[in-house]
Structure formats: C-alpha cells, structure tokens
Amino acid sequence: MGLIYNPSLIHPQKNESLPALFKEAGTNVTVMVDDPIEASMVLSLALNDHYNIDQSSALSALTVDNFNKLAQNTRLVITNQPEHIITRKDFALGFQWSGDAITMAGNIPNLRLLFSPKTSYITSDLLGELNNSRTTQCVAKILAGKSFLSAEENHTYYISPYGGKTTSNNPIYLKFREKILSEFSSLPWIVNIPPQKLARITRTWNLI
C-alpha cells in the first residue's frame, strides 16, 4: 500500500506511527482504501505498534472500535476512487494501492508519498488458471513471465517479483522501490486467510 499525505497539514517524523499521523491530521479529511484485507493489515500494524494490542494472528485487529481509534477525529472516507478528495485543501493523508498512490503523488503537486517500515507490509497478486487447456496455460505463462511483468512494472509501478533493475524513469517510484527493496526482508507479508475468517472480516468491514 502507498501512504500519500498533504505536506501543508502533515509533517511526518522518521518512523512515526500511523496513529500519530492521524492525530496530526486533526479534523481534516483522510482516506482508506476500500478493501477489508488491506485495511485490516494497515489497522493491525498501526494498533499493534501504538496500542500494544495482543495479536493472536494477523488481521485480528479489525473491529469498529479499533478502526475509530485509528481514525480519531479525522473525517475518514473509504474509497478506491479518491481523485475528487485528494485535491482538496483539507485532505491530510490516505492509504491507496501503491501504484495508484505513486501516480497521484506525481500528478498532484501538493501531495507526497511516505514510506515507513513501521507501517508497511508486502502483498502479492496471484495468477490462477481456471482450466487446464493448453491455451490457458500458454497465456498464464506469458502473463507470469519476466518480460511482461517488467513492462507492467513501468506502467503500474508494482514491483516485479523478478527483481533486478527497472527501466522506469519515474523518480517517485524509483525512490519508493529502493526503500521497499532495502527493507524487504524485514517487512511482514499478508497471510493466507481461510474462507470463514475472510467472511467475518468482510462483514465487519461492511459495518464500518
């Protein structure tokens, strides 16, 4: 995930916690991506760091009460289409897909992208074949190949699992990529979620 912020309202300190950033946002507008798994992971890391919540397993922190603790006094909007919000003068900070956040930070002069090991994690996109036909396997092989994913990285700003050098010339992405790769071995991964737990998390997210 990518954390974008408005430097006229937020002044991040090194390794500052998410609750501290939300507190600094005051009553201004904040944004959270509309995805229960991603939001649960953000919340879990943030509250585990700041409130010492005992995490029996990853993603266990998603409750209405904990979400309100993180949001504090901000006017939090849950959306995957924040373009009409992040240009407002009272927009303070928000979580979006990392590639989208990098694009937004590049297109809107008053936004910055923040990377902090304390509030970051690794997730992956999986490619599944719905049948075993030769055509499907051929297409899947191409889509999972180094050539395709390297080109996709330059377009979407999602780091290729093959690593290595990138031909992207986007300075925001290059800086973000360097920081992610330097901390890669120490960052947590989103875990596999059993169907029953996913259903429970989704119900809670819908309440929020």
Side-chain angles (χ1 to χ4, degrees):
M1 295 300 291
L3 176 59
I4 51 177
Y5 69 96
N6 181 349
S8 65
L9 298 176
I10 301 293
H11 308 87
Q13 304 300 311
K14 184 177 181 180
N15 289 334
E16 189 169 10
S17 69
L18 266 178
L21 291 172
F22 273 87
K23 182 177 181 180
E24 186 178 358
T27 59
N28 289 296
V29 176
T30 57
V31 169
M32 179 67 73
V33 66
D34 189 2
D35 184 285
I37 299 175
E38 301 285 353
S40 298
M41 191 67 175
V42 170
L43 185 64
S44 180
L45 291 178
L47 297 182
N48 189 49
D49 173 62
H50 190 71
Y51 293 107
N52 257 338
I53 289 178
D54 179 20
Q55 300 290 343
S56 58
S57 61
L59 309 178
S60 62
L62 184 64
T63 66
V64 174
D65 183 55
N66 283 345
F67 193 83
N68 289 334
K69 283 182 180 179
L70 177 61
Q72 300 177 58
N73 295 319
T74 67
R75 289 171 287 156
L76 193 149
V77 180
I78 299 173
T79 180
N80 290 335
Q81 298 177 314
E83 289 80 5
H84 64 292
I85 299 173
I86 59 178
T87 55
R88 294 171 46 149
K89 292 183 178 179
D90 59 352
F91 168 74
L93 63 92
F95 266 101
Q96 285 296 298
W97 310 111
S98 58
D100 292 344
I102 290 167
T103 300
M104 293 171 191
N107 292 340
I108 302 174
N110 68 317
L111 293 185
R112 300 290 185 272
L113 184 70
L114 176 67
F115 170 79
S116 171
K118 294 176 67 176
T119 57
S120 300
Y121 57 92
I122 303 295
T123 184
S124 60
D125 292 324
L126 303 180
L127 179 66
E129 299 177 14
L130 300 182
N131 59 62
N132 61 357
S133 73
R134 293 184 63 183
T135 301
T136 298
Q137 292 173 356
C138 180
V139 172
K141 185 176 181 180
I142 293 174
L143 294 179
K146 184 176 182 179
S147 177
F148 177 85
L149 290 178
S150 295
E152 186 73 1
E153 178 178 6
N154 293 337
H155 176 68
T156 62
Y157 306 127
Y158 286 90
I159 299 174
S160 168
Y162 292 98
K165 294 182 178 181
T166 176
T167 57
S168 173
N169 58 4
N170 184 320
I172 298 175
Y173 173 63
L174 292 176
K175 185 176 181 180
F176 179 80
R177 186 180 193 272
E178 180 183 11
K179 289 183 177 180
I180 286 287
L181 294 179
S182 68
E183 299 285 345
F184 190 85
S185 61
S186 62
L187 295 176
W189 285 68
I190 282 187
V191 298
N192 184 43
I193 304 175
Q196 288 184 336
K197 186 167 187 178
L198 177 59
R200 186 167 64 252
I201 290 174
T202 301
R203 286 195 298 271
T204 301
W205 185 241
N206 289 336
L207 288 175
I208 292 173

